[in-house]
Amino acid sequence: MNENENLEKNLEEFRGRFQDMKSEIQKAIVGYDELLNHILISVFARGHVLLEGVPGLGKTFLVQTLSKVMGLKPGRIQCTPDLMPADILGTHIVNENEDGRRMLHFEKGPVFANLVLVDEVNRATPKTQAALLEVMQEGSVTAGGDTMFLPSPFFVMATQNPMEMEGTYPLPEAQADRFLFKLKVPFPDKATLVEISKRTSSFDIPELNGVINDEDLIKFQDIVAHVPVADHITEFAAALVLSTHPETEDPSEKVSRYVSYGASPRGLQALIRGARIHCALDGRTAVSTDDVKKVALPALRHRVILNFQGEAESQDVDQLVEELIDTVPTPAQ
């Protein structure tokens, strides 16, 4: 079996496991088909996810359900304005050993888990939000001069309320940039609301089965990371990232007028990693520009920062990114 045939076989197994995970999650979660696809794409792309939506849409329950289906050790951080960095990372405490001697011991915080739910992240102060920077980028915690690595696989899935709600703090740009995708949780339509009522009015909790374990998850992450990406696809993704920058040679009128900062190189990484998995799910072994476009909105929407004029005129970042997706020239195949 040659290398390409081996990749096709592995990707077929990946698609089956992906669908099994999604089907199991949908035993508990009604609707949100596209949302679930993007969440699972981020999982296999080794990325963190930011879920935004008004209270009551099931964001927290969705993350808890995902933890059960993946069989991963969960951690939870409930963010409030008085939360401190030590409440997230852990802290040194003094304990007595068997000989009665006092020893300094590090009590690990809730980030020492495989899947960490950071609930209502924008209710924590910027100081506490910043405690997640090293955690999300390096997968480690440094305290007292010692660096401790987090378990693998490791994901942060954070929920946040819309910025217009009272008592929220905007995420710093460096913090938001560490999320692979920002996903907006839509309000359910009438049919979905009716189905939610039918499923939840009896208070029965569906029995969920673990579909994947940590070893298989890491194996599939490695498989999809080897889906080939041609140079012209990478160049298209790079052009899409550059189109969000007002200081480039020929920015669009809206970008020049309303954008302060464009997407970072992490945005390009998110596009390529997400496009690889979208390609694999579509039964192909070579990434296309359409794969990049399909993941561009969740990968870039939180990386485009409006300037004062853009904020004052209530410009819609999603609409701006969608216009760029449509206007950036597609290379010849």
Side-chain angles (χ1 to χ4, degrees):
M1 183 180 295
N2 61 39
E3 185 176 340
N4 191 57
E5 288 175 339
N6 188 50
L7 178 61
E8 288 181 357
K9 180 182 178 182
N10 288 334
L11 292 180
E12 184 178 356
E13 183 185 359
F14 161 71
R15 285 192 294 275
R17 193 66 64 89
F18 186 100
Q19 190 56 50
D20 290 344
M21 290 176 66
K22 185 177 175 181
S23 298
E24 194 68 21
I25 293 170
Q26 287 176 324
K27 289 181 180 179
I29 301 295
V30 183
Y32 297 147
D33 187 77
E34 184 178 12
L35 180 70
L36 290 178
N37 277 340
H38 280 136
I39 289 175
L40 291 177
I41 285 174
S42 71
V43 165
F44 287 104
R46 294 188 175 99
H48 310 295
V49 176
L50 178 62
L51 296 171
E52 181 179 279
V54 297
L57 297 184
K59 302 184 297 296
T60 303
F61 182 59
L62 192 156
V63 178
Q64 293 171 336
T65 300
L66 185 65
S67 175
K68 292 178 183 177
V69 170
M70 294 198 303
L72 299 178
K73 178 184 176 183
R76 177 167 180 170
I77 301 164
Q78 185 63 57
C79 293
T80 56
D82 60 347
L83 191 73
M84 298 299 290
D87 299 325
I88 295 176
L89 306 177
T91 187
H92 283 96
I93 60 174
V94 177
N95 282 338
E96 287 190 0
N97 62 13
E98 296 177 355
D99 301 326
R101 297 179 59 188
R102 292 187 174 184
M103 304 288 291
L104 199 61
H105 167 73
F106 185 78
E107 188 69 25
K108 293 180 178 179
V111 294
F112 286 87
N114 296 113
L115 179 58
V116 179
L117 166 62
V118 184
D119 207 6
E120 298 190 296
V121 62
N122 60 336
R123 293 206 183 278
T125 61
K127 176 182 179 180
T128 303
Q129 292 172 4
L132 293 169
L133 291 174
E134 180 188 2
V135 168
M136 294 174 66
Q137 183 63 31
E138 283 87 26
S140 62
V141 171
T142 301
D146 297 324
T147 298
M148 295 154 281
F149 290 95
L150 302 172
S152 181
F154 175 75
F155 308 98
V156 170
M157 294 203 173
T159 69
Q160 75 170 10
N161 298 308
M163 290 299 145
E164 293 78 12
M165 302 197 74
E166 187 176 354
T168 59
Y169 300 86
L171 288 181
E173 289 80 1
Q175 179 69 61
D177 195 35
R178 280 163 167 77
F179 289 100
L180 184 83
F181 287 167
K182 177 183 176 181
L183 304 174
K184 292 189 176 182
V185 183
F187 196 85
D189 58 23
K190 182 179 178 180
T192 304
L193 284 173
V194 170
E195 182 62 26
I196 290 172
S197 176
K198 290 179 179 178
R199 291 199 193 186
T200 60
S201 57
S202 63
F203 299 101
D204 291 332
I205 300 175
E207 191 70 31
L208 298 175
N209 300 311
V211 174
I212 198 169
N213 57 36
D214 52 356
E215 291 182 1
D216 283 345
L217 181 57
I218 292 172
K219 179 187 79 171
F220 286 122
Q221 288 174 335
D222 290 338
I223 288 171
V224 294
H226 287 88
V227 174
V229 182
D231 288 346
H232 70 278
I233 302 298
T234 304
E235 289 172 4
F236 171 73
L240 189 53
V241 168
L242 287 172
S243 72
T244 66
H245 287 255
E247 71 276 10
T248 52
E249 189 173 313
D250 188 25
S252 72
E253 181 183 350
K254 280 192 173 181
V255 169
S256 177
R257 185 175 181 183
Y258 298 124
V259 174
S260 178
Y261 300 104
S264 71
R266 287 195 188 100
L268 177 59
Q269 293 172 347
L271 289 174
I272 297 300
R273 288 157 64 185
R276 277 192 167 111
I277 297 171
H278 192 276
C279 165
L281 292 174
D282 203 34
R284 291 175 286 107
T285 56
V287 175
S288 70
T289 54
D290 284 341
D291 296 316
V292 175
K293 291 179 180 181
K294 291 291 185 182
V295 298
L297 183 57
L300 299 180
R301 59 161 48 118
H302 55 301
R303 295 183 163 96
V304 176
I305 311 301
L306 297 178
N307 57 23
F308 178 79
Q309 186 173 357
E311 294 283 359
E313 296 186 23
S314 301
Q315 288 296 308
D316 187 336
V317 172
D318 281 15
Q319 183 179 348
L320 189 149
V321 172
E322 287 172 341
E323 289 176 4
L324 294 175
I325 294 169
D326 292 335
T327 55
V328 171
T330 301
Q333 301 296 320

